[in-house]
Amino acid sequence: MSPSLIYHVTSSLDGYIARPDGRLDWFDAERQADEEYSFQYFYTGIDSLLMGRMTYEALLAKGGTWPYPGKPCVVLTRSELPRASSDIQLTHCTPAQAIAALREAGFQRTWLVGGGSLAGTCYAAGLIDEIVINLAPHLLGAGIRLFATGLERSLQLSDQRRFNNGTLQLHYRVLNQQAAALPLPASHHNAA
Amino acid sequence: MSPSLIYHVTSSLDGYIARPDGRLDWFDAERQADEEYSFQYFYTGIDSLLMGRMTYEALLAKGGTWPYPGKPCVVLTRSELPRASSDIQLTHCTPAQAIAALREAGFQRTWLVGGGSLAGTCYAAGLIDEIVINLAPHLLGAGIRLFATGLERSLQLSDQRRFNNGTLQLHYRVLNQQAAALPLPASHHNAA
């Protein structure tokens, strides 16, 4: 399996990842029943984490024990921040450099955590290989968009799972070709 | 089964139903392999159609034989327009009145066709009972939103199907309760 940067986020059916003010209450209630299960299904498949400052600070503010022990977590930031765990490395470099360093160290499947500007940067730079969406059975109406960059990409659905509360976990690979240039092979029409 | 108004539309993963200029080319290529199959799966489950003027005019402009024979089609419009089929009824009334007339005549499952203003009106009025989304494996980046009304609704996932090209057909029921007031029943946590 080739190395992957994986963006994992919960989205409403209409493509929002949070309310306009950032609140996640709309799916917190729905998540309780299955968060453990659906998250574990995803988490066992990754071996490293990458996040930006805002996501890291939000986790620090939440307090308690570090929720992602045993897997290296690279936090991209210029700021001096406390390390909540020995797994955390604070570094000031580009996402591409951080990913390269993880690969050098043998880590293959990196979870890009959070829905902030780092995800948009990585997406625009073509660094995201996989997208795992928890598609919640909810229309939010307004909010922070899944991707705000305005870029078009074709995807390949690789897995889908349904959880008790009607949330679907969808696994996509990001295709590199320009969407407009992607031909459908003739045999595709007859694929089982 | 109780009567239903069903909104059926293809959406990108990031919640757009067309490019900003209305073009649908982004999924036309992807659809060819499975459009017949996935559409038939939906179409056999409806017995009537409701559409607005813009959708009807687009179908007239496309020409050819009327694509929805054998099922009554109510077109809401003030305009004098040609009837492309004896199944078509042009009428000037509210969506609620049109739906009531269909129910009176014994039609139970009405497809709300198109992505225009009529869908937004019906959604805002609480008239949509089910939403069937063809979720395409595509990030469009910008475009006409799935629902532009800014209203929040909770949904219940009732069916999901995967088609060859990675499109998922998702069937949701629209829940009537205010999203914020919807409690999760204790037994829900243990549902199989």
Side-chain angles (χ1 to χ4, degrees):
Chain A
M1 188 182 296
S2 51
S4 271
L5 182 68
I6 306 145
Y7 182 45
H8 178 37
V9 71
T10 295
S11 172
S12 68
L13 182 62
D14 49 349
Y16 298 108
I17 63 172
R19 292 190 188 279
D21 61 6
R23 275 185 302 144
L24 301 175
D25 60 302
W26 58 279
F27 72 82
D28 276 351
E30 293 172 2
R31 280 167 76 178
Q32 285 161 15
D34 290 295
E35 180 175 3
E36 288 281 330
Y37 182 56
S38 65
F39 180 72
Q40 282 306 320
Y41 182 71
F42 166 76
Y43 193 64
T44 53
I46 62 111
D47 59 20
S48 46
L49 296 85
L50 178 68
M51 65 177 66
R53 178 185 57 81
M54 283 170 53
T55 299
Y56 183 61
E57 286 185 331
L59 286 165
L60 288 178
K62 212 168 164 184
T65 49
W66 179 244
Y68 310 122
K71 307 195 185 202
C73 175
V74 176
V75 181
L76 297 182
T77 178
R78 292 182 189 85
S79 308
E80 294 277 339
L81 294 168
R83 287 170 68 220
S85 155
S86 56
D87 295 308
I88 295 163
Q89 178 190 346
L90 298 160
T91 186
H92 177 44
C93 64
T94 66
Q97 289 168 334
I99 293 162
L102 282 165
R103 303 288 168 257
E104 280 286 304
F107 297 99
Q108 298 288 305
R109 293 185 59 75
T110 304
W111 173 23
L112 175 59
V113 190
S117 57
L118 177 60
T121 300
C122 289
Y123 177 65
L127 294 173
I128 295 179
D129 301 294
E130 298 178 36
I131 297 173
V132 178
I133 297 283
N134 277 3
L135 193 67
H138 202 81
L139 291 166
L140 198 51
I144 298 172
R145 305 216 38 69
L146 173 60
F147 283 119
T149 56
L151 295 173
E152 185 173 359
R153 291 276 194 274
S154 278
L155 308 172
Q156 184 180 52
L157 179 68
S158 59
D159 191 18
Q160 73 279 347
R161 290 200 143 234
R162 175 184 177 155
F163 298 102
N164 280 349
N165 61 2
T167 294
L168 293 160
Q169 191 172 92
L170 309 177
H171 293 238
Y172 293 94
R173 275 188 276 273
V174 181
L175 301 177
N176 289 331
Q177 302 91 320
Q178 275 301 316
L182 181 65
L184 277 183
S187 62
H188 180 83
H189 292 237
N190 299 320
Chain B
M1 188 182 293
S2 52
S4 271
L5 182 69
I6 305 145
Y7 181 46
H8 178 38
V9 71
T10 295
S11 173
S12 68
L13 182 62
D14 49 349
Y16 298 108
I17 62 173
R19 291 190 188 280
D21 61 5
R23 275 185 301 144
L24 299 176
D25 61 301
W26 58 279
F27 73 82
D28 278 349
E30 294 173 359
R31 278 168 77 181
Q32 284 162 16
D34 290 294
E35 180 177 2
E36 288 280 330
Y37 181 57
S38 65
F39 180 73
Q40 283 305 321
Y41 183 71
F42 166 75
Y43 192 65
T44 53
I46 62 109
D47 59 20
S48 47
L49 297 85
L50 178 70
M51 64 176 67
R53 178 184 57 81
M54 282 170 55
T55 299
Y56 183 61
E57 285 184 333
L59 286 164
L60 288 178
K62 213 168 165 185
T65 49
W66 180 245
Y68 310 122
K71 308 197 184 199
C73 175
V74 177
V75 180
L76 298 182
T77 178
R78 291 183 191 83
S79 307
E80 296 277 339
L81 294 169
R83 287 170 68 220
S85 155
S86 57
D87 294 307
I88 295 164
Q89 178 190 346
L90 299 159
T91 186
H92 177 44
C93 64
T94 66
Q97 289 168 334
I99 293 161
L102 282 165
R103 303 289 168 257
E104 281 286 304
F107 297 100
Q108 297 287 306
R109 293 183 61 74
T110 304
W111 173 22
L112 175 60
V113 189
S117 57
L118 177 60
T121 300
C122 289
Y123 177 65
L127 294 173
I128 295 179
D129 300 294
E130 298 178 36
I131 296 172
V132 178
I133 298 284
N134 277 1
L135 194 66
H138 202 82
L139 291 166
L140 199 53
I144 298 172
R145 304 216 38 68
L146 174 60
F147 283 118
T149 56
L151 295 172
E152 186 174 357
R153 291 276 195 277
S154 279
L155 307 172
Q156 183 179 52
L157 180 67
S158 58
D159 191 16
Q160 70 280 349
R161 288 197 146 236
R162 174 183 178 157
F163 297 102
N164 281 349
N165 62 3
T167 294
L168 292 159
Q169 191 173 92
L170 309 176
H171 293 240
Y172 293 94
R173 274 187 276 273
V174 181
L175 301 177
N176 290 329
Q177 302 90 323
Q178 275 302 316
L182 181 66
L184 278 182
S187 61
H188 180 83
H189 290 236
N190 299 320

